[in-house]
């Protein structure tokens, strides 16, 4: 869709130029892939700040783990080559495939756009939360802060981004990438938007992490020192959701249905990763 109210597109090439562009100003939006920006009318916008001119490397793998630039195309995440010891590698492709979009959109959509849009069904949010991803955030004043992605997404289309703050990258730690994972996704239709997405992670030291997205407005993450029994995991999840975001309700699934399919998925994930019966 044409955005006929746009008066300027500012291609920033360094951090100083980014700050000078005032990405948090009224009528200004950050542009990377633009798949959401150009999907609907944006009559309030006058300026786009183009991050792609910064030339960030899409991804890099080091001894510390995997770094995904905010401008990294979603499709590239799903095509990343496996590295020795990365037992969690299949989860990258599973989460990318959970994004309801054709290949052309996945090739343009970015990690940063998917996370910062903060839709409950955000597939890259699910990946980052499952693997203890940390967001590197660049402030308008030149500061840098780090925040778990699980704490960055506060609700449906709500984040903890401060005015003018921009997501630079998401870092996935090596210890999480070396873990065994399990994945369950449910939607109302075979090609429908995710209504429930449950991941489990069993670390090399035996610690177990359960993450739920899509069925709730913001990510819910639970941790145990050893894999729990399925009934215990389900009970703790019910309590956490009741005390926090509640079960999400929109055209892609009613709350009671989301609760039922999520609890079923939780039991399957725990059993797959060795939870006691």
């Amino acid at each position: 869709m044409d955005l006929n109210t746009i008066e300027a597109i500012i291609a920033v090439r360094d951090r100083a130029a980014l700050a000078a562009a005032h990405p948090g100003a009224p009528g200004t939006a950050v542009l990377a892939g633009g798949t959401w920006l150009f999907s609907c009318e944006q009559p309030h916008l006058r300026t786009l700040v183009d991050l792609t001119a910064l030339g960030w490397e899409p991804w890099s793998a080091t001894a510390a783990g995997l770094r995904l630039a905010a401008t990294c195309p979603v499709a590239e995440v799903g095509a990343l080559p496996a590295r020795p010891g990365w037992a969690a590698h299949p989860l990258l492709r599973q989460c990318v495939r959970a994004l309801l979009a054709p290949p052309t959109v996945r090739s343009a959509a970015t990690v940063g756009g998917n996370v910062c849009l903060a839709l409950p069904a955000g597939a890259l949010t699910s990946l980052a939360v499952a693997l203890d991803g940390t967001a590197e955030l660049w402030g308008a004043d030149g500061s840098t802060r780090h925040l778990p992605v699980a704490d960055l997404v506060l609700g449906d289309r709500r984040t903890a981004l401060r005015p003018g703050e921009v997501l630079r990258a998401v870092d996935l730690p090596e210890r999480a990438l070396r873990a065994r994972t399990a994945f369950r996704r449910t939607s109302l239709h075979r090609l429908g938007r995710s209504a429930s997405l449950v991941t489990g992670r069993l670390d090399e030291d035996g610690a177990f992490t359960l993450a739920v997205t899509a069925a709730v407005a913001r990510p819910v993450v639970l941790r145990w020192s050893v894999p729990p029994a399925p009934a215990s995991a389900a009970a703790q999840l019910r309590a956490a959701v009741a005390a926090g975001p509640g079960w999400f309700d929109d055209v892609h699934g009613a709350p009671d249905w989301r609760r039922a399919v999520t609890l079923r998925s939780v039991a399957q994930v725990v059993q797959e990763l060795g939870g006691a019966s």
Side-chain angles (χ1 to χ4, degrees):
M1 174 177 291
D2 291 337
L3 301 184
N4 57 17
T5 61
I6 299 300
E7 300 169 354
I9 299 178
I10 303 173
V12 294
R13 291 178 170 78
D14 56 39
R15 190 163 182 179
L18 176 60
H22 304 293
T28 301
V30 169
L31 170 68
T35 53
W36 180 79
L37 276 176
F38 289 94
S39 70
C40 55
E41 294 182 354
Q42 310 284 351
H44 62 292
L45 292 182
R46 298 294 180 269
T47 303
L48 298 179
V49 179
D50 184 1
L51 299 184
T52 61
L54 286 161
W56 291 335
E57 186 178 8
W59 60 272
S60 59
T62 67
L66 176 63
R67 183 171 176 84
L68 300 173
T71 51
C72 176
V74 170
E76 285 201 34
V77 178
L80 279 171
R83 285 171 63 92
W86 279 12
H89 181 263
L91 190 64
L92 276 64
R93 186 169 183 267
Q94 288 170 325
C95 285
V96 166
R97 287 177 63 86
L99 176 62
L100 179 60
T104 51
V105 171
R106 289 179 185 158
S107 296
T110 61
V111 171
N114 193 258
V115 171
C116 293
L117 187 56
L119 293 176
L124 273 297
T125 298
S126 302
L127 174 67
V129 170
L131 297 180
D132 285 351
T134 298
E136 180 178 310
L137 306 172
W138 282 7
D141 59 357
S143 62
T144 299
R145 67 178 179 126
H146 297 86
L147 189 68
V149 173
D151 296 330
L152 175 63
V153 177
L154 300 179
D156 183 19
R157 300 285 305 279
R158 294 192 302 115
T159 72
L161 286 169
R162 296 168 180 168
E165 204 166 41
V166 171
L167 176 64
R168 166 62 180 89
V170 172
D171 292 303
L172 306 178
E174 177 74 11
R175 59 171 177 77
L177 290 162
R178 298 183 67 86
R180 289 175 52 212
T181 59
F183 173 95
R184 294 293 187 279
R185 174 186 175 273
T186 306
S187 64
L188 280 174
H189 308 284
R190 187 173 68 87
L191 297 178
R193 177 179 289 184
S194 298
S196 172
L197 200 153
V198 178
T199 59
R201 195 184 84 232
L202 183 63
D203 291 347
E204 291 180 319
D205 64 1
F208 186 87
T209 300
L210 181 73
V212 175
T213 55
V216 285
R218 59 174 172 79
V220 174
V221 183
L222 299 176
R223 304 180 191 277
W224 292 265
S225 58
V226 295
S232 175
Q236 291 190 48
L237 176 63
R238 283 195 299 267
V241 173
W247 299 101
F248 196 56
D249 184 9
D250 69 358
V251 296
H252 301 286
D256 57 347
W257 176 75
R258 290 183 194 256
R259 179 181 64 247
V261 297
T262 299
L263 293 176
R264 180 187 63 193
S265 294
V266 165
Q268 294 172 349
V269 163
V270 173
Q271 289 172 345
E272 180 176 332
L273 293 178
S277 59

